[in-house]
Amino acid sequence: MATAVPSGQSPFMQLKDIQTDLCRTFVVATSLHAGGAVRMRSYGTRFADAFSACIWQVARATSAAPTFFAPVEINDVLYGDGGTGWNNPTREAITEARNIWPNRPIGIVISIGTGLEEALQLNENSTLLSELAQVLLSNTSPQSSFQLAVAEYAVRCLTSCEMVHREIAEHPEHDILEGNYFRLNVPQGMDKIGLAEWDKLRNIIALTNQYLEHGEMRGPKRKIANLLRYPQRASRSSYNF
């Protein structure tokens, strides 16, 4: 017998939706054994079944960020956070939509960022070390200092969200109809908030509200609302809002 949790749901509740008419949902994790992105689906497709796991296992897998949380083993496979390589899963979402509805145009794609990141630059020094530690390392082992900077640059490339955004925005004809792709991302103030700084949630809320209430966002918000309400408009070559 399953034990109920305070919310009234069983801890053994599966990710797979029993009802087929519910909103299709998937999250992205990383297979630590085989590498590559794994789409953990609540539904089956023509080519694959729904992901076999409990909801809490999937939540653990997608939150197992390296150095923060340990990986989770599901059906003898180790999974970690999908942020290492797939921090921006827009491409995964578009591909999944194509698999489900191969002959239908995509009405709208909304990509939600967590703050505009700094430009990717390979510097001679690491930004992870304090100034004193950097000076000491540079004087004692300049090669190690540069190797650390290269490693840091490689990690930033793997976790970058903007690279995927720019690729899709510059070539929308490859994936979606031009005019129905939107990237919502706070431009200032959030790039310095680290993954572990949960106590800065109020800062994140304030910065996000300020961004969305700015006059420049009125047009995009109106377009997004209209396309969500009338997705068939995506098949038109122009929009009148």
Side-chain angles (χ1 to χ4, degrees):
M1 175 180 287
T3 303
V5 293
S7 63
Q9 296 181 339
S10 166
F12 302 108
M13 183 171 290
Q14 296 291 300
L15 177 67
K16 179 181 179 180
D17 284 327
I18 299 176
Q19 295 177 249
T20 58
D21 58 343
L22 299 178
C23 177
R24 293 177 174 89
T25 303
F26 78 92
V27 293
V28 180
T30 303
S31 171
L32 302 185
H33 286 162
V38 177
R39 299 175 205 157
M40 298 179 169
R41 305 177 179 88
S42 67
Y43 55 93
T45 69
R46 294 173 297 162
F47 310 106
D49 295 328
F51 190 76
S52 179
C54 298
I55 293 176
W56 73 264
Q57 291 176 304
V58 173
R60 272 281 287 111
T62 58
S63 60
T67 73
F68 285 95
F69 300 104
V72 61
E73 184 174 321
I74 304 175
N75 300 326
D76 299 320
V77 178
L78 277 179
Y79 293 98
D81 177 32
T84 307
W86 294 271
N87 228 5
N88 183 340
T90 304
R91 176 74 63 198
E92 296 295 316
I94 292 173
T95 302
E96 190 71 4
R98 293 293 189 206
N99 289 338
I100 300 171
W101 304 287
N103 300 315
R104 290 173 56 181
I106 295 177
I108 183 172
V109 175
I110 305 173
S111 173
I112 301 176
T114 57
L116 188 63
E117 62 195 47
E118 293 182 352
L120 290 172
Q121 296 178 326
L122 176 56
N123 301 313
E124 294 184 1
N125 298 322
S126 169
T127 60
L128 297 178
L129 298 178
S130 66
E131 185 175 350
L132 177 59
Q134 186 65 62
V135 171
L136 291 174
L137 185 60
S138 298
N139 290 333
T140 57
S141 180
Q143 183 177 359
S144 297
S145 176
F146 181 68
Q147 288 174 343
L148 182 59
V150 171
E152 180 184 338
Y153 175 76
V155 170
R156 291 185 62 195
C157 287
L158 279 173
T159 58
S160 173
C161 295
E162 289 303 304
M163 294 175 68
V164 174
H165 160 60
R166 290 171 185 169
E167 180 184 353
I168 295 175
E170 291 174 3
H171 304 285
E173 69 280 359
H174 295 171
D175 302 294
I176 53 180
L177 297 175
E178 189 170 2
N180 63 341
Y181 168 70
F182 300 88
R183 172 75 168 166
L184 303 180
N185 205 14
V186 177
Q188 293 179 332
M190 286 183 40
D191 59 309
K192 300 298 183 182
I193 300 178
L195 184 61
E197 295 181 286
W198 56 269
D199 55 330
K200 294 187 177 180
L201 179 60
R202 292 180 179 177
N203 300 48
I204 295 174
I205 293 174
L207 290 166
T208 302
N209 287 338
Q210 183 183 50
Y211 164 66
L212 291 175
E213 291 170 3
H214 195 279
E216 292 182 355
M217 290 302 299
R218 292 175 184 170
K221 287 192 296 184
R222 189 179 300 113
K223 291 181 180 180
I224 289 172
N226 275 276
L227 282 175
L228 286 174
R229 188 176 181 183
Y230 306 109
Q232 64 274 16
R233 293 185 178 181
S235 62
R236 300 178 183 178
S237 59
S238 61
Y239 302 93
N240 299 310
F241 299 104

